[in-house]
Amino acid sequence: MSLDEHTLIQKYFSDVGSAFLAEKGVRVSVGDDAAIINNTPEKEFVVSIDTSIAEVHFLSSMDPSDIAYRSVAIALSDLAACGASPSWFTLALTVESIQEEWIKDFCKGLQSVCDEFRIPLVGGDTTKGPLSITVQVMGYCEEGCSITRKGAKAGDGIYVSGLIGSASKGLDDLKKGLEGTDEILTFTRPQARIELGKNLVGIATSAIDISDGLVQDLGHICSQSNLGCEVFLNKVPTRKNIPLTHKSINSGDDYEICFTANGLKEQIIKSVSEELGIPITKIGEMTEKKFIKVIDSEGKDIEVNAGYDHF
């Protein structure tokens, strides 16, 4: 006998992250018409939403727990770029049919991300159709302290966390049928840099998470801050020190944080990097000129491939 929507939700989703409901001020959660959340004084809410579609944003052949984890983590990455603390999330799940073993494994991935970031699932929707997952995340910052894409100043250094290009290589490995590589893990279980984002409040003048490609996403900081930038290709950090090319620098799916900061913050940034155990690398500088320059090891400007196109 197949499960109806109500039974499916109650059996598999009603308890996901429930241990954190009281901690996050959630009075009514999964199972009612809507969640009810207590307002937090002197905080500002930070909200983001991401949709992941099979064969577009992930492979349907992936482990369901990885699909679930990845879908939530990439949404949380937006909160990280704003310096926000996650508080809860909602989930809209579309599946072609209810396969209970798949749902069980999917929920294991949800619980993993809930436990890691101490957030509950508070609501959502289930529908029938091609596999698609939409996740809305809510977080908060102290009032007036959220980091945005607007605020960079000419002369600010440009920094990135972690490594660039690994996730794209991981996706290629998955498509080739490989298993167990570090690059595959980077794609299937991206790290939402929440603690780094929180530590960058008061340090970063602007920030963005790298989803569509380093240069493409950095371009959003440039346009919002009404500036340009210079990026040195050979300074962009990669796994095993394999230099990026004009093709791979914009491959996307990195979910690292790209941020700008005044040079006087250099030592503080180094301390944050060491304390959190997260590599942070300076890759360039913001400029008054309203264009983006990517410079190779010989000092020549190069043209890079376009990043991910949503349409």
Side-chain angles (χ1 to χ4, degrees), residues 57-249:
H57 303 98
F58 63 89
L59 302 181
S60 57
S61 59
M62 285 168 48
D63 189 296
S65 66
D66 289 337
I67 294 172
Y69 185 98
R70 186 179 195 281
S71 298
V72 179
I74 66 174
L76 288 173
S77 182
D78 289 323
L79 298 190
C82 295
S85 298
S87 52
W88 50 259
F89 72 103
T90 61
L91 169 74
L93 174 64
T94 301
V95 291
E96 294 183 354
S97 62
I98 297 175
Q99 300 177 31
E100 289 201 57
E101 285 303 314
W102 192 96
I103 295 292
K104 285 179 185 178
D105 288 341
F106 184 84
C107 287
K108 288 179 183 177
L110 291 183
Q111 191 62 57
S112 292
V113 79
C114 289
D115 291 343
E116 182 175 348
F117 296 100
R118 300 185 66 82
I119 53 173
L121 172 66
V122 300
D125 193 21
T126 56
T127 53
K128 182 177 180 178
L131 180 57
S132 173
I133 301 121
T134 296
V135 175
Q136 181 187 45
V137 289
M138 171 74 83
Y140 59 87
C141 286
E142 296 296 324
E143 192 171 355
C145 291
S146 299
I147 308 169
T148 69
R149 300 174 182 181
K150 184 178 182 179
K153 303 290 189 292
D156 281 355
I158 302 168
Y159 300 84
V160 294
S161 65
L163 304 174
I164 302 302
S166 293
S168 176
K169 173 66 164 53
L171 177 58
D172 289 342
D173 287 348
L174 278 173
K175 289 178 177 178
K176 294 174 182 175
L178 301 179
E179 297 179 356
T181 69
D182 290 338
E183 288 81 5
I184 287 175
L185 186 61
T186 303
F187 179 81
T188 58
R189 296 265 173 155
Q191 299 181 36
R193 300 294 194 183
I194 295 295
E195 289 304 312
L196 174 58
K198 289 159 62 176
N199 276 269
L200 289 176
V201 172
I203 297 173
T205 52
S206 68
I208 189 170
D209 81 316
I210 306 168
S211 55
D212 297 336
L214 172 59
V215 177
Q216 180 162 308
D217 288 325
L218 178 56
H220 297 311
I221 288 179
C222 291
S223 61
Q224 290 290 310
S225 299
N226 198 30
L227 293 170
C229 68
E230 291 184 348
V231 173
F232 297 94
L233 186 65
N234 64 337
K235 292 186 177 181
V236 179
T238 62
R239 190 177 297 280
K240 298 175 183 175
N241 295 317
I242 300 172
L244 292 172
T245 67
H246 69 288
K247 293 182 179 180
S248 59
I249 191 173

